[in-house]
Amino acid sequence: TLGNLSDGLDCVSYRQPLGVCAGIAPFNFPAMIPLWMFPVACTAGNTFVMKPSEKTPGACLMLANLAQEAGLPDGVLNVVHGAKDTVDFLCDAPDIRAISFVGSNVAGEYIHARGTANGKRVQANLGAKNHAVILPDAPEGAAKALAGAAFGAAGQRCMALSAVVFVGDAKAMLPEIIAEAKGYKVGSGFDEGVDVGPLISKESKDRVESIISRSVEEGAKLELDGRETDVHGYETGNFVGPTVLSNIDVENIAYKEEIFGSVLVCLEVDTLDEAIELVNSNPYGNGTGIFTQSGACARKFVHEIDVGQVGVNVPIPVPLPFFSFTGSRGSIRGDVHFYGKQGVQFYTQIKTVTSSWQYSGSDLGGATMPILGKK
């Protein structure tokens, strides 16, 4: 806002809602991801169409019921179900002005291309290969933090720590990580004390196990094998226990693919500069972390690393809601991020109004451009 920028002339910008917005959520966080979307969009004045994953639709319906009970008017939040046909409808519907998506690269790139071709705003959070760089002076407790970040949620999260880069003598930490992983209990999430649950489907289990096998064929060393994990009472369940692969290079399939399972790949370099180069050479840019007690090394890493979310002695650096989720490079399509200030910007548009209210006898202008301060 600028008042009286010329005689009797004011200029004001307003943020206004877009109208109808849509969200497409993944299976792995069926409540959290919709909460990144519709609360911000609806608070900004939009109506919203939410499509949960067809694999886990129930949580989104529960959220919609809670929103209705809280007083959200009918028609403001709408839930639709389906797979590709429903996605195509959301991408093509002329009344929908913006689409938010979280999921795989294949689906996200398709939605971004189709949605933007129809003139919509699209923000799409995609896949990841998140690295932790471990220096020899890593603080106590680093191994426990790394194991939890790698194997929690059975590795089915875009911020899972899926690659460890040991710098120099830091590779001596590997047995500690393996010991932590061996202590995790695999089983149903409804059972007490379980640390690692099942994968989402048999197809996912088969894919994860296939990547493990192919990785070993390509030269990886299998330090800990989670295949054929037996869970009493769930003998046909989709379980893959914590798996650790070492002797990995950047051409190995277990490094190149986003596995989305409880698999940790371990790489080794000699220097911090080499570690930074390795991480920056990976196409993804969702999250990374460094474990060290050196402020100089941490600062160098933070400033030279080309990844959108960085942790210092923090394995999964997901920002709190008043920030924004700022993945970068191959982990996002679109240029405005989820939630926080950027979330508000995504679901709104700017209208700028220039007003002339003359009260001292000035005219309203002529053929020439106005001059500031002209009487």
Side-chain angles (χ1 to χ4, degrees), residues 53-235:
S53 169
E54 63 275 19
K55 298 175 181 177
T56 53
C60 191
L61 288 174
M62 294 171 68
L63 291 174
N65 288 332
L66 290 170
Q68 189 175 45
E69 291 176 14
L72 197 67
D74 291 346
V76 174
L77 175 61
N78 311 273
V79 180
V80 296
H81 298 284
K84 183 177 181 296
D85 288 346
T86 306
V87 169
D88 288 346
F89 166 77
L90 297 176
C91 290
D92 297 343
D95 289 335
I96 293 175
R97 300 284 305 281
I99 299 173
S100 299
F101 169 83
V102 176
S104 71
N105 277 65
V106 172
E109 289 168 2
Y110 172 83
I111 290 166
H112 183 266
R114 186 159 182 158
T116 54
N118 286 315
K120 306 181 193 303
R121 288 185 182 179
V122 180
Q123 56 177 186
N125 272 10
L126 310 178
K129 198 71 176 184
N130 304 310
H131 301 71
V133 173
I134 314 303
L135 270 57
D137 67 341
E140 185 178 353
K144 182 177 181 179
L146 295 171
F151 306 122
Q156 298 173 113
R157 48 187 174 184
C158 65
M159 287 295 287
L161 180 64
S162 51
V164 168
V165 183
F166 294 116
V167 178
D169 294 339
K171 60 189 176 184
M173 184 187 291
L174 181 57
E176 293 182 61
I177 297 173
I178 294 171
E180 286 286 343
K182 285 181 176 179
Y184 287 156
K185 180 179 179 181
V186 180
S188 167
F190 294 102
D191 293 345
E192 187 175 351
V194 167
D195 300 298
V196 179
L199 298 177
I200 186 64
S201 66
K202 184 179 185 302
E203 292 76 16
S204 180
K205 177 186 177 184
D206 291 344
R207 177 180 176 275
V208 170
E209 291 184 340
S210 173
I211 290 174
I212 295 170
S213 298
R214 288 179 58 187
S215 176
V216 173
E217 291 170 5
E218 292 176 10
K221 180 180 178 182
L222 191 58
E223 302 279 359
L224 181 63
D225 190 355
R227 295 171 296 177
E228 307 301 328
T229 297
D230 182 33
V231 178
H232 179 68
Y234 303 95
E235 285 74 16

Side-chain angles (χ1 to χ4, degrees), residues 26 29 31-41 48 50 63 100-103 123 125 158-159 286 309 318-321 324-326 337-340 343-344 346-347:
F29 289 99
M32 184 182 76
I33 301 301
L35 289 173
W36 287 8
M37 301 176 182
F38 75 79
V40 180
F48 204 82
M50 188 76 233
L63 291 174
S100 299
F101 169 83
V102 176
Q123 56 177 186
N125 272 10
C158 65
M159 287 295 287
N286 224 27
Q309 299 171 118
V318 176
L320 290 169
S324 294
F325 191 100
T326 54
H337 295 286
F338 282 81
Y339 63 81
V344 174
F346 180 77
Y347 293 121

Side-chain angles (χ1 to χ4, degrees), residues 252-281:
N252 191 285
I253 186 173
Y255 180 75
K256 293 170 68 175
E257 292 283 331
E258 182 185 27
I259 302 174
F260 230 59
S262 51
V263 181
L264 179 64
V265 301
C266 303
L267 302 94
E268 298 177 15
V269 296
D270 293 326
T271 67
L272 177 58
D273 284 326
E274 290 179 83
I276 292 171
E277 181 180 1
L278 188 154
V279 177
N280 287 346
S281 297

